[in-house]
Amino acid sequence: MKLAIDETRCKGCNLCTKVCPYKIFKEGNKPNRKGIVVPELDRPERCANCRLQHLYGRTLCGVCQLTCPDQAIHWVEEQPYEPKKVAIEY
Amino acid sequence: MTFEDWFRTDRLPHIYCAGCGNGTIINCTLAAIDQMSWKKEETVFISGIGCSSRAPGYIVTDSLHTTHGRALAFATGVKMANPALNVVIFTGDGDLAAIGGNHFIHACRRNIDLTVVCMNNQIYGMTGGQGSPTTPKGCLSTTTPYGCSEPPFDLCELAIAAGANYVARWTSYHVKELEKAVRAGLETPGFSFIEAMTQCPTNFGRRNKFKQVADQVDYLKTHGVLRAKRERMIEQGEKIPEDLFVIGELMRRNRPAMGVKP
Ligand SMILES: Cc1ncc(C[n+]2csc(CCOP(=O)(O)OP(=O)(O)O)c2C)c(N)n1
Ligand code: SF4
Ligand code: SF4
Ligand code: SF4
Ligand SMILES: [Mg+2]
């Protein structure tokens, strides 16, 4: 699974940058077409849900998605499958 | 299914300001509802008027966006006419406790099988930031330009005193806890009241020294104390600062209820 921010919904509040235990969301610096500064993703493959959702069959963590007031955070299937080497910090 | 399936995606993005906590509270409520194996056609959302009360308009089920303060009066009618329906109410501090205060205490007294999620941003958000019955002492609003001098209502205490079966308070920071509390409320027969303290950056935060959205969320995070911790503090004779508020499950009981699903 791949973490993604929906730019058509994000309003740039930056709440996601405060809640992720891995600090995957970083404040962005360039306004998009709508003038909104959407956060950037720092090595999103570290996200627990990206790695383990299929294995467990349910959403893991998901705190960023629940917190995002604008329903802009979601996970998309990777196609084609992109193998990745992930260093997990704990 | 996930909570995202309950949204009317054609209506998103919603009209809430950037960083408004209402969206977070809708997420948590829908995440709890998604676990209930409720059918969409047997679930009804009801609200009054206010920013918070616009929530049902973004949800796929049938809904009633009623008049200011009257969400609970309409909900009482819906639930008593057809107890088989699952009825969830979104309301604001002004809608519930100011103009709707009487409906609130009597719905608690009757203990009707409803779940009420109150987005308490301590202000009238929609109309431009007038003080509400939950505006804390000293806070600035357009109607309290020198700082609010009245003591605020404690909505959870009010619900408990009036007879609600389930009462809990969390904040827009405590998303997982809020989700669990709403779930517990949905499962409890009788009146369930979940107060979600939330940020209104536009009309509360801006006037009360919260420059960034995250500053007010941080405040909510650091000023909520669990009931057990508060009791410990009292036991040890510590003085409890006036700006702390209790969070957690505050009541779960089994008074006789009305309108419970047959
Ligand atoms: C009978 C009536 N009186 C007053 C109003 C104006 N009014 C609209 S929303 C509102 C306050 C809403 O405050 P709250 O319930 O806290 O909602 P918020 O916008 O803060 O989420 C008021 C007074 C109205 N619409 N109808
Ligand atoms: S929390 Fe949501 S709306 Fe806010 S910046 Fe992050 S993705 Fe955008
Ligand atoms: S699901 Fe959890 S770990 Fe993954 S990005 Fe969101 S907050 Fe971070
Ligand atoms: S005015 Fe306040 S409550 Fe209303 S949408 Fe804006 S931030 Fe949210
Ligand atoms: Mg309000």
Side-chain angles (χ1 to χ4, degrees):
Chain A
M1 302 289 277
K2 202 160 141 183
L3 184 66
I5 297 180
D6 182 345
E7 289 217 13
T8 65
R9 291 194 189 161
C10 174
K11 291 179 188 154
C13 67
N14 280 325
L15 284 176
C16 50
T17 67
K18 307 287 175 195
V19 298
C20 174
Y22 297 113
K23 306 231 177 324
I24 285 171
F25 300 85
K26 297 265 177 237
E27 282 189 30
N29 44 35
K30 272 202 308 285
N32 67 7
R33 264 189 329 118
K34 294 203 290 182
I36 287 163
V37 183
V38 176
E40 283 160 12
L41 301 178
D42 174 21
R43 291 164 291 153
E45 59 277 9
R46 294 177 298 151
C47 160
N49 203 35
C50 291
R51 289 182 278 116
L52 302 170
Q53 189 179 46
H54 279 319
L55 187 65
Y56 283 76
R58 61 182 169 88
T59 305
L60 287 124
C61 180
V63 167
C64 55
Q65 191 189 35
L66 272 185
T67 302
C68 174
D70 289 282
Q71 295 77 39
I73 297 173
H74 57 142
W75 286 270
V76 289
E77 293 292 340
E78 286 171 285
Q79 263 169 3
Y81 176 68
E82 302 159 25
K84 257 179 213 114
K85 195 163 169 233
V86 183
I88 316 274
E89 307 130 43
Y90 50 89
Chain B
M1 250 179 42
T2 77
F3 74 90
E4 290 171 286
D5 301 332
W6 290 78
F7 280 102
R8 286 167 80 176
T9 45
D10 58 325
R11 296 296 164 110
L12 297 177
H14 49 60
I15 60 147
Y16 297 144
C17 309
C20 172
N22 292 354
T24 305
I25 293 160
I26 300 175
N27 293 346
C28 298
T29 306
L30 292 181
I33 286 173
D34 189 56
Q35 298 162 15
M36 295 295 289
S37 49
W38 284 357
K39 286 208 191 91
K40 291 188 174 119
E41 49 282 8
E42 289 169 0
T43 306
V44 183
F45 289 88
I46 300 179
S47 66
I49 296 291
C51 296
S52 35
S53 293
R54 289 190 63 97
Y58 300 108
I59 301 173
V60 288
T61 69
D62 284 339
S63 58
L64 287 168
H65 187 188
T66 72
T67 48
H68 195 26
R70 271 61 193 170
L72 283 170
F74 282 82
T76 301
V78 171
K79 188 65 178 168
M80 294 314 289
N82 186 357
L85 293 173
N86 310 305
V87 183
V88 180
I89 292 99
F90 282 113
T91 183
D93 46 313
D95 194 57
L96 183 80
I99 191 167
N102 230 10
H103 294 298
F104 179 35
I105 54 175
H106 291 288
C108 292
R109 171 180 64 81
R110 292 176 176 135
N111 209 14
I112 303 165
D113 190 24
L114 306 167
T115 300
V116 177
V117 178
C118 177
M119 305 174 188
N120 182 0
N121 53 13
Q122 308 177 314
I123 200 89
Y124 288 180
M126 176 165 270
T127 43
Q130 295 80 3
S132 88
T134 59
T135 304
K137 263 194 172 169
C139 286
L140 300 186
S141 70
T142 56
T143 50
T144 58
Y146 304 106
C148 182
S149 55
E150 304 168 5
F153 256 152
D154 182 325
L155 300 182
C156 287
E157 295 268 346
L158 201 57
I160 293 169
N165 260 358
Y166 181 86
V167 179
R169 182 191 286 121
W170 288 103
T171 77
S172 55
Y173 172 79
H174 301 92
V175 286
K176 287 279 180 188
E177 292 88 343
L178 180 59
E179 177 191 319
K180 288 204 187 97
V182 176
R183 165 110 201 239
L186 299 171
E187 284 170 342
T188 309
F191 196 89
S192 300
F193 178 65
I194 296 99
E195 179 180 1
M197 305 295 293
T198 184
Q199 71 277 14
C200 166
T202 304
N203 279 318
F204 188 89
R206 178 163 68 93
R207 295 192 175 89
N208 289 285
K209 299 202 186 108
F210 298 118
K211 286 238 149 48
Q212 300 291 328
V213 175
D215 297 345
Q216 196 176 354
V217 177
D218 241 12
Y219 180 92
L220 295 175
K221 173 186 169 187
T222 51
H223 286 72
V225 278
L226 285 167
R227 188 164 73 158
K229 182 169 176 205
R230 188 169 172 275
E231 277 160 14
R232 239 185 356 258
M233 286 168 79
I234 295 174
E235 244 169 57
Q236 290 163 354
E238 279 179 58
K239 201 174 167 295
I240 307 209
E242 232 186 275
D243 53 358
L244 291 194
F245 54 87
V246 195
I247 50 174
E249 185 177 301
L250 305 175
M251 176 54 74
R252 195 197 275 259
R253 63 185 157 195
N254 210 353
R255 282 182 66 239
M258 291 173 70
V260 180
K261 212 183 254 197

